[in-house]
Amino acid sequence: MAAGSFQVRFAAPSAGFGLTARALADFANDLRVKAGAGEAQILIPIDQAEELFGVADPDEARRFLEILSQALSESLPFMAVMAMRSDFLGRLQSAAALTARFEEFSLGPMPARRIPQIIQGPAKVAGVNVEEAFVQQAARDAATEDALPLLAFALRELSDRSSSKLLSLDGYKALGDEKAGLTPLENAVRKAADAVLAEAKPANDELMALREAFVPAMVRVNDDGQYVRRPARLDSLPVKSRSLLKRLENARLLSRPKNDAGSVEVAHEALLRKWPLLRSWLDEEREFLIGKQQLEQDLRDWEQASYGDKAGALLTGLKLTRARGWLVDHPMRLTAQELSSFASARSMLRPDARPSSWPRER
């Protein structure tokens, strides 16, 4: 079946439950016929499902979960495996559009004993010699949750720097910074980011635009108080930041999902912690990041409330005062949806609570 045919069947937002269910049944039948397996179960793999609650348009995300719920009904032969960050699990559990039952499985970090295989196996295929001392040191450094992508990044850096087909302990140690207490895995991304700025020589307004790109669109604070990445729509980021963002992408510090070229995200969360420039920006904006996330949740609650309950879901007290300040001082840091929600809510505010000036929607 052509991709366009599938989109016609399921993309129409006005399609009712019965219409979508019939389309799903027809789609399942087409897949079975094509595979010559009339009784086969059909697996739907879903990766990076956290994007449903970040970069995805809220209406599209809701429609996706509605269709998924219908696909997983007992009358249809579909089953799904969804991978997502554990800190988004609460959002999935509370998603009203997802009515299908599901089981949760937590995946722990890769056992440290397997890390040498990750280094030696590909190196053997590529004809690259690897010092055993380097393998053991890298394995020790990689005993953290986000170390595997950093290990891949460091190996690529070592390969690019080496004039011979040898990965040595000395070359690996050269990526680190003992004075700063950073392992080669942690420091590799910092050095790469500093090199990007040193080569670009950005003007101050370009640096400020880069700061506005990261805060708040590309970073959030999780429940453990740590800075973590979140995908952002590239067209929502400052125009003057695009050149530096592209350079960071070329340096493999940012990534663009293959199935969504319009979004961008931090490739390695160590960058948020170990790049001094970015970390200083985040620390200065920490209160705003946390407050902005709370504002996003408050707006979701307000939008989901029934009309009779909306007045009780309005911002009050400190939250309202803080939101007023952001509306005046940082309107470009608020999404069009947030500005629209405020515009819809202002008519319901008490006269004494309504700001004297509301920014217009972008």
Side-chain angles (χ1 to χ4, degrees), residues 174-297:
L175 293 177
D177 187 339
E178 292 186 8
K179 292 183 179 180
L182 298 177
T183 69
L185 298 188
E186 295 171 324
N187 196 52
V189 292
R190 185 185 77 164
K191 291 183 72 170
D194 285 339
V196 166
L197 293 191
E199 180 181 353
K201 298 181 176 59
N204 186 63
D205 60 341
E206 292 177 301
L207 272 181
M208 291 302 97
L210 184 64
R211 174 174 178 154
E212 292 294 314
F214 277 105
V215 181
M218 297 174 64
V219 184
R220 62 186 183 87
V221 181
N222 68 11
D223 293 339
D224 296 326
Q226 298 175 332
Y227 299 122
V228 295
R229 65 188 172 197
R230 68 174 181 179
R233 299 300 304 178
L234 186 60
D235 58 10
S236 71
L237 304 179
V239 173
K240 286 190 175 183
S241 71
R242 306 283 173 82
S243 176
L244 289 176
L245 291 174
K246 183 62 178 177
R247 286 174 177 268
L248 290 170
E249 180 189 347
N250 291 340
R252 303 187 299 278
L253 297 171
L254 301 180
S255 62
R256 301 273 294 277
K258 292 182 180 179
N259 61 343
D260 185 6
S263 65
V264 61
E265 66 180 348
V266 172
H268 307 287
E269 288 184 344
L271 187 71
L272 308 179
R273 303 189 301 273
K274 304 303 182 182
W275 188 18
L277 176 64
L278 179 54
R279 180 58 188 258
S280 68
W281 290 345
L282 297 179
D283 287 345
E284 291 171 8
E285 302 279 10
R286 185 179 182 85
E287 182 179 351
F288 173 76
L289 284 168
I290 295 173
K292 175 68 161 52
Q293 290 169 211
Q294 182 60 58
L295 173 63
E296 292 169 357
Q297 181 59 54

Side-chain angles (χ1 to χ4, degrees), residues 3-18:
S5 175
F6 177 82
Q7 292 172 353
V8 169
R9 291 185 182 196
F10 303 116
S14 60
F17 178 88

Side-chain angles (χ1 to χ4, degrees), residues 43-53 64 68 80-89 92 102-107:
L43 177 65
I44 305 174
I46 305 167
D47 194 17
Q48 292 184 290
E50 63 271 10
E51 293 190 5
L52 289 167
F53 309 104
F64 175 87
L68 180 63
V81 175
M82 175 183 287
M84 71 183 307
R85 295 176 59 115
S86 60
D87 46 344
F88 280 86
L89 181 58
L92 182 70
F102 62 90
E103 297 181 67
E104 304 163 12
F105 298 92
S106 297
L107 300 178

